[in-house]
Amino acid sequence: MRLRPTALAVLTAALCFSAQARPPVAAPAASAAPPGAQDGIHAETGAQRGSVRAASTRAASVFTLDDAFGRIQDTHPDLRLFGNQRSVLEAERDIAAQKPAYVAGAAIDNALGTGALSGTKAAEVTLTLASVFERGGKLDARRAFAQSRIDALAVDREGRRLDLLAETARRYLAVVAEQRRIELAEFDIAQRKRAVAAARVRLEAGASPESGLLTAQAQLARAELDRSRAQRALLAARQFLAALWGERDPGFAAVAGDPFALPQVQDATALASLLERSPELTRFVDQRRIAESRVRLAQTQSKADVDWQVGLRRQQENGDFGFVASVSMPLGAAARAEPGIRGAQAELAMLETEREAKGLSLYSTLVEAQGRYRLGALETERLKQDVLPRLERAEKAAEYAYRAGAISYLELALLQAESVAVRRQRLDAALDAQLALIEIQRLTGEPFLAVTTAPAGAMP
C-alpha cells in the first residue's frame, strides 16, 4: 500500500503555527506632520532607518513551527537511520537474489597406495563441476521476502516522522505557553502597580493604613516573581526544543503562534475513518506481506533441492577419458518443512489479531483526545465570551471604587487575583486543547486549520 504523501503538511497546522502566523512587529508611531511639512516626509533620518532595519531583523528572527519541522526533517538521526537500514536491506535483497554457486572440484583416485596402486601409475584424476538445482520457487520466494521488508521500511519511517513532528509540536507549544505566561505576568504586574499607586495615594490622604500599601507592594513582588519564573521556564523550553535537532544554544529568541486559535474538528466517528491511513495501522499491511512471503518461503522448503555434479575422469595407466555424473536429493523434505510452515502461518494469523488490538487502542486514544479537545475549546470560548468581559468591567469598577474609598484593598486584591486566575485558566484550557489536537493529527495524519488566527501577541 502506498502512503498518501503528507510531507510537511502533516502537523504543520498543529497549534495553527504556520509561517503566516508570524507576530506583527510594531512599527514606530508616525508623529503628526505640521502643515507645510509634507515635502519632508520621505527625508528619513539615519536613526529612523536604523530603527526600521532593527525591526526587520527582529521580524526575520521569529522562529516558526515550519522552521522547527524543517530542521527535524534535515538533521534528526532517527530519520537518517532509515537510509542506512534501506541500504542494508537492499544488500540482503541482492544476496537473496543470487542463484546457488557453481563449485569446481578435482579428485585423485588410486594413487599413493601399495602394490599395483603405488605411486601414480594407476591414478585416476577427475575434474568436476557441481551445483544445486532449487525446486519449489525458492529464488522468487527469497526475493519477494527481501523486497517486502524494503517496502515496509517506508511505512516505518513515516510513522517515526509523524512521532517526531508531534513531539516537535508539543515542545514548540511549551515555548509558546511560556511566552504567554510572561505576557500574563506582565498584565498582572501592570494592575498590581496601579493598585500600589492607588494605595499610596490613600495612605498619603490618611484614608487607609500603611498595611494596605505594604500588601499591595507584596502582591506586586509576587507578580514580578511569576514573571521571572516564566522567563526561566521559557529559556528551558527553548533549549528543550532546540535539543531535538542537536543544538545546545537555541538560535532563536521568540516563536510565533497563537494557542487560542482552535479549529473545528470532526466528531469521533468521522475521525475514526481516518485512522485507516495511520502509519500505525498501514504498517500491518506491509507486515502481512512480509508474513505471507515468509509462509511462501517456508513452503518452498517442502520441495527438496537436487544436488548435481558432472565431471571428466582420466585414467593414468592408459590415458583414457570418461564422463562422470551424479545426482542426489535429500529425503523427507516435506516432513522437515512442515513445522516451519505451521509457524509462519501462525505468525500470519497473529498479525490480524494484533491489528485488531492496535485499532481498538488507537480508537480509544482518538476518542479521548477528541473529547479533551472539545472540552478545552469549549472552556476557552466560554471564558472569553462569558467570564472575562464581566471581570474586566468589574476590575475597572473596583479600581474606581478603591480610589474613592468605597471598598478595601482586600476586595480589590481578590478581584485582581481572580482576573489573573481566569486568564490563566483560559490559557491552560487552550494549551490542553492544543495538545489533544496534536495527538489527533498524529493519529490521523490530517492537518486541521483554524478559520481565523488571532495575533500572536494578543493578551489571553
Side-chain angles (χ1 to χ4, degrees):
M1 175 184 289
R2 290 287 181 185
L3 282 177
R4 180 177 55 82
T6 53
L8 284 178
V10 176
L11 288 176
T12 47
L15 325 177
C16 302
F17 297 156
S18 63
Q20 289 75 20
R22 299 179 185 270
V25 177
S31 57
Q38 287 81 359
D39 294 337
I41 288 179
H42 298 288
E44 197 177 42
T45 66
Q48 289 172 329
R49 285 193 295 270
S51 177
V52 171
R53 282 196 297 269
S56 300
T57 302
R58 287 195 301 270
S61 66
V62 174
F63 196 72
T64 66
L65 188 61
D66 287 340
D67 296 332
F69 284 166
R71 297 191 184 188
I72 288 296
Q73 290 278 124
D74 296 338
T75 64
H76 202 280
D78 280 6
L79 298 182
R80 298 202 312 269
L81 185 63
F82 283 96
N84 298 331
Q85 291 178 342
R86 183 178 181 87
S87 298
V88 171
L89 292 179
E90 287 176 345
E92 292 180 358
R93 179 195 59 192
D94 294 341
I95 293 174
Q98 294 177 353
K99 296 180 179 180
Y102 290 97
V103 180
I108 299 178
D109 298 326
N110 301 330
L112 305 178
T114 59
L117 300 180
S118 63
T120 59
K121 292 183 296 183
E124 296 181 352
V125 179
T126 306
L127 301 178
T128 61
L129 181 67
S131 186
V132 177
F133 176 69
E134 292 185 316
R135 302 174 63 226
K138 291 183 176 64
L139 177 61
D140 292 336
R142 287 198 307 270
R143 281 191 297 210
F145 177 68
Q147 186 61 47
S148 65
R149 294 177 65 195
I150 295 176
D151 296 338
L153 195 64
V155 180
D156 293 340
R157 185 186 187 280
E158 181 68 9
R160 180 56 183 154
R161 191 181 70 86
L162 284 180
D163 290 341
L164 284 173
L165 294 185
E167 178 62 21
T168 304
R170 282 190 285 265
R171 296 191 187 189
Y172 189 95
L173 176 62
V175 178
V176 173
E178 296 307 329
Q179 290 181 171
R180 288 306 180 117
R181 291 189 178 104
I182 291 176
E183 295 174 4
L184 189 56
E186 294 286 359
F187 170 81
D188 194 18
I189 288 172
Q191 68 175 3
R192 298 297 182 181
K193 284 182 177 179
R194 293 195 302 269
V196 168
R200 182 175 286 109
V201 170
R202 291 192 60 179
L203 175 63
E204 292 173 352
S208 67
E210 186 181 7
S211 60
L213 175 60
L214 294 175
T215 304
Q217 290 173 337
Q219 294 294 335
L220 174 60
R222 288 188 61 184
E224 291 173 343
L225 176 61
D226 289 340
R227 179 180 60 185
S228 298
R229 184 187 298 112
Q231 289 171 342
R232 287 291 182 180
L234 174 61
L235 177 60
R238 286 170 49 221
Q239 291 174 332
F240 191 45
L241 173 61
L244 264 178
W245 50 83
E247 287 186 4
R248 298 188 179 183
D249 183 20
F252 56 91
V255 299
D258 178 20
F260 299 104
L262 300 173
Q264 291 293 327
V265 174
Q266 302 171 4
D267 58 25
T269 303
L271 290 175
S273 63
L274 302 176
L275 281 179
E276 295 299 322
R277 292 181 289 189
S278 169
E280 295 191 53
L281 289 183
T282 54
R283 75 178 182 87
F284 281 99
V285 177
D286 290 289
Q287 291 295 328
R288 182 177 181 84
R289 286 199 186 98
I290 293 175
E292 290 173 347
S293 298
R294 187 175 285 113
V295 170
R296 287 195 295 271
L297 189 60
Q299 289 172 342
T300 61
Q301 301 303 315
S302 62
K303 299 284 188 178
D305 297 335
V306 176
D307 296 332
W308 59 266
Q309 178 176 287
V310 295
L312 190 64
R313 178 175 296 170
R314 178 182 182 277
Q315 292 184 344
Q316 182 70 11
E317 59 184 6
N318 53 22
D320 292 338
F321 289 88
F323 177 77
V324 295
S326 67
V327 176
S328 62
M329 183 177 66
L331 302 178
R336 287 193 302 272
E338 195 270 337
I341 296 174
R342 281 192 290 110
Q345 290 174 338
E347 184 177 350
L348 177 61
M350 186 174 61
L351 276 176
E352 189 61 32
T353 305
E354 288 182 357
R355 187 191 184 284
E356 183 179 355
K358 189 65 175 180
L360 289 176
S361 175
L362 291 179
Y363 179 72
S364 299
T365 304
L366 180 65
V367 169
E368 189 268 341
Q370 196 265 353
R372 281 175 47 210
Y373 180 80
R374 288 284 180 87
L375 180 60
L378 175 64
E379 184 176 355
T380 302
E381 185 65 20
R382 291 295 298 272
L383 288 174
K384 176 184 177 182
Q385 299 294 336
D386 299 338
V387 180
L388 280 178
R390 293 180 173 86
L391 274 178
E392 289 171 356
R393 291 196 299 268
E395 288 174 46
K396 294 178 181 179
E399 286 189 19
Y400 178 79
Y402 178 67
R403 291 178 183 275
I407 61 174
S408 66
Y409 173 74
L410 179 60
E411 294 174 279
L412 175 62
L414 287 175
L415 185 58
Q416 289 178 334
E418 179 66 15
S419 175
V420 173
V422 169
R423 285 174 167 81
R424 186 174 290 115
Q425 179 185 357
R426 180 171 178 253
L427 176 61
D428 291 341
L431 294 175
D432 188 62
Q434 292 288 359
L435 287 173
L437 179 61
I438 292 171
E439 186 64 15
I440 292 173
Q441 291 173 327
R442 185 188 71 83
L443 293 173
T444 62
E446 292 289 329
F448 298 94
L449 297 174
V451 177
T452 59
T453 302
M459 272 300 299

